[in-house]
Amino acid sequence: MPLNFGVAPDHPEVKNVINTFTKTAEHPRLRYFGNVSLGTDVSLKELRERYHAVLLTYGADQDRELELENEQQGNVISARKFVAWYNGLPGAENLNPDLNGRDVTIVGQGNVAVDVARMLLSPLDALRVTDTTEYALEALSRSQVERVHLVGRRGPLQAAFTIKELREMLKLPNVDTRWRTDDFSGVDSLVEKLQRPRKRLTELMLKSLKEQGRASGAAGSKQFLPIFLRAPKAINLGEMEFSVTKLQEDYAVATDNTERLPSDLILRSIGYKSSCVDSDINFDTRRGRVHNTEGRVLKDTEKIDPGLYVAGWLGTGPTGVILTTMSGAFAVAKSICDDIAANVLDTSCAKPGYDAADKRVVTWDGWKRIDQFESEAGKAKGKPREKIVSIQEMLKVAGV
């Protein structure tokens, strides 16, 4: 389940959305096919021949890159891969991030970036009771990381993280959050004009900024260092160079000034994009998403392709939080129902559905066996679950 691999281990409440999916999956008219990949095990053409409607929802599995020289060196990895590593996504267990240095620089200021910073700075005992993988806990127990820089191109008023994630960072024990006063120049005067969510977030940042000089961090404390108005310029040995930026109509424009930050490990978190897994998908390679209008996939730039739909980041691009995606999915589901009711789709004759006779398919019962196995393994260690990180082991447990 994607929730097990994408949601932060210390956010178990977010994973409760799985309960809604479980209720749907238990419906007698739903068939679940796990271990089946579109474009590899089955084509879009075959699915469309076997179903009246096909909904594409395979998400955004690729990273946007900085496009800088030396970006492919070993100490530069994507936050997506780092999240997959500590969450136990099969295939990510061999990432082996180098945590022997003092300084980590995270490029990007969204919630994923803050999740990664929190994982790096959280007390190990707090993580031991989550479903963080054992190999990640072992690596984090030996971590020498003391400072995490969270760097963004724009200013505090454009920060992409939400108030919940910031509150959690500010409450981390033995972690000293340090803002730069100059980053907040003039922000005070704009607070009252902001929309409520942005206003509350900005007020919390200003409150933390005001309080940070009252007492120095405790001996041995780690540091969380949010830095605004900096754009990536170069990756050098042990450091990263940034252009100082200024805002012009909310856009970050690089100036001639630069700053270098010590960076033993660099984590890239500047967004995601989807991939085109089947040649019959009308895919926008520039934007990294499927061409569509309100979830209805387009044949070309304007004409709707009846019976083919898309939801989630595959259709919208990487924007919003889980609730945003859920709302969008409900809207697309309504569009499908509306099209059936309006006879846009001819459902007068039954279609055969997918034939998985020659495939190693994990059924819903098979998934439940995996779920039970992981839960019992975790219970023995005082954790919600201990994830299986091998696909072959999963198939074995599922009885495939």
Side-chain angles (χ1 to χ4, degrees):
M1 288 294 168
L3 276 172
N4 286 343
F5 305 124
V7 176
D10 57 347
H11 283 177
E13 73 285 351
V14 177
K15 300 181 184 184
N16 288 337
V17 69
I18 192 66
N19 296 329
T20 301
F21 182 82
T22 299
K23 290 177 183 178
T24 304
E26 298 285 357
H27 195 286
R29 292 172 60 190
L30 184 141
R31 292 197 299 161
Y32 179 89
F33 299 100
N35 197 45
V36 177
S37 296
L38 177 63
T40 303
D41 300 307
V42 63
S43 68
L44 179 59
K45 181 176 182 292
E46 182 181 357
L47 288 178
R48 298 198 70 182
E49 289 171 349
R50 292 177 170 275
Y51 294 91
H52 297 98
V54 174
L55 173 63
L56 303 171
T57 58
Y58 59 80
D61 62 340
Q62 301 294 317
D63 306 293
R64 297 195 183 279
E65 297 189 345
L66 299 169
E67 299 181 355
L68 295 176
E69 189 176 349
N70 298 326
E71 188 171 356
Q72 304 309 316
Q73 64 188 26
N75 71 322
V76 183
I77 60 178
S78 75
R80 178 185 64 83
K81 289 182 178 179
F82 190 76
V83 170
W85 171 74
Y86 63 64
N87 266 331
L89 179 69
E93 65 272 19
N94 297 319
L95 183 65
N96 296 323
D98 186 355
L99 304 178
N100 292 318
R102 179 190 182 197
D103 288 278
V104 172
T105 295
I106 302 174
V107 183
Q109 294 184 327
N111 281 343
V112 172
V114 178
D115 282 346
V116 169
R118 193 177 64 254
M119 290 294 294
L120 286 167
L121 296 173
S122 288
L124 196 64
D125 287 345
L127 297 178
R128 290 193 191 280
V129 295
T130 71
D131 59 5
T132 304
T133 56
E134 285 297 308
Y135 62 76
L137 289 173
E138 170 61 24
L140 290 167
S141 73
R142 293 181 276 104
S143 171
Q144 300 298 307
V145 174
E146 295 179 5
R147 304 193 304 184
V148 175
H149 308 86
L150 189 82
V151 187
R153 293 173 179 267
R154 299 192 293 169
L157 296 180
Q158 293 80 32
F161 51 76
T162 56
I163 193 168
K164 177 180 181 292
E165 275 66 27
L166 179 58
R167 278 203 193 106
E168 289 177 329
M169 287 302 304
L170 296 179
K171 291 178 180 178
L172 280 183
N174 298 319
V175 175
D176 188 20
T177 298
R178 289 279 161 177
W179 309 90
R180 293 183 173 183
T181 304
D182 289 349
D183 287 349
F184 291 84
S185 177
V187 171
D188 259 331
S189 62
L190 300 173
V191 172
E192 292 303 319
K193 301 176 184 178
L194 301 174
Q195 295 292 321
R196 187 170 183 270
R198 176 64 63 181
K199 179 182 178 183
R200 292 175 61 226
L201 174 60
T202 305
E203 287 174 339
L204 180 58
M205 286 190 282
L206 288 170
K207 179 175 181 288
S208 177
L209 171 66
K210 185 178 180 180
E211 293 175 348
Q212 73 180 9
R214 293 182 181 177
S216 59
S221 67
K222 299 177 181 180
Q223 289 187 322
F224 174 55
L225 305 167
I227 302 171
F228 298 98
L229 301 170
R230 299 292 184 271
K233 183 178 181 181
I235 297 169
N236 304 311
L237 183 62
E239 66 177 20
M240 188 164 183
E241 185 177 2
F242 293 86
S243 294
V244 177
T245 64
K246 60 181 180 180
L247 289 180
Q248 292 183 358
E249 297 181 354
D250 273 357
Y251 287 95
V253 178
T255 68
D256 292 333
N257 297 324
T258 63
E259 177 182 5
R260 296 186 178 192
L261 293 175
S263 307
D264 299 299
L265 175 65
I266 297 169
L267 292 163
R268 180 184 63 235
S269 186
I270 58 171
Y272 304 92
K273 58 184 178 180
S274 300
S275 53
C276 183
V277 300
D278 190 290
S279 59
D280 285 338
I281 297 175
N282 184 11
F283 195 78
D284 185 341
T285 53
R286 184 176 68 84
R287 296 184 177 182
R289 67 185 190 186
V290 173
H291 285 289
N292 74 98
T293 176
E294 297 180 344
R296 294 178 174 92
V297 174
L298 301 175
K299 277 185 178 179
D300 45 43
T301 55
E302 296 181 359
K303 190 175 181 181
I304 290 172
D305 193 352
L308 188 58
Y309 304 86
V310 63
W313 283 7
L314 181 60
T316 64
T319 180
V321 295
I322 289 178
L323 183 59
T324 314
T325 305
M326 286 177 62
S327 298
F330 289 137
V332 176
K334 183 178 184 302
S335 294
I336 297 173
C337 293
D338 290 346
D339 287 352
I340 293 173
N343 293 320
V344 173
L345 309 180
D346 181 9
T347 58
S348 59
C349 296
K351 289 197 171 186
Y354 181 55
D355 181 6
D358 60 340
K359 301 289 194 305
R360 296 184 71 189
V361 169
V362 177
T363 64
W364 181 247
D365 284 340
W367 156 248
K368 288 195 292 185
R369 284 192 285 272
I370 294 172
D371 183 47
Q372 183 180 0
F373 182 93
E374 291 185 339
S375 297
E376 289 177 354
K379 187 176 181 181
K381 299 177 180 179
K383 303 167 64 175
R385 69 172 63 237
E386 183 61 43
K387 295 169 187 170
I388 304 171
V389 298
S390 161
I391 290 178
Q392 292 306 313
E393 181 66 18
M394 283 186 183
L395 295 176
K396 181 180 177 181
V397 171
V400 176

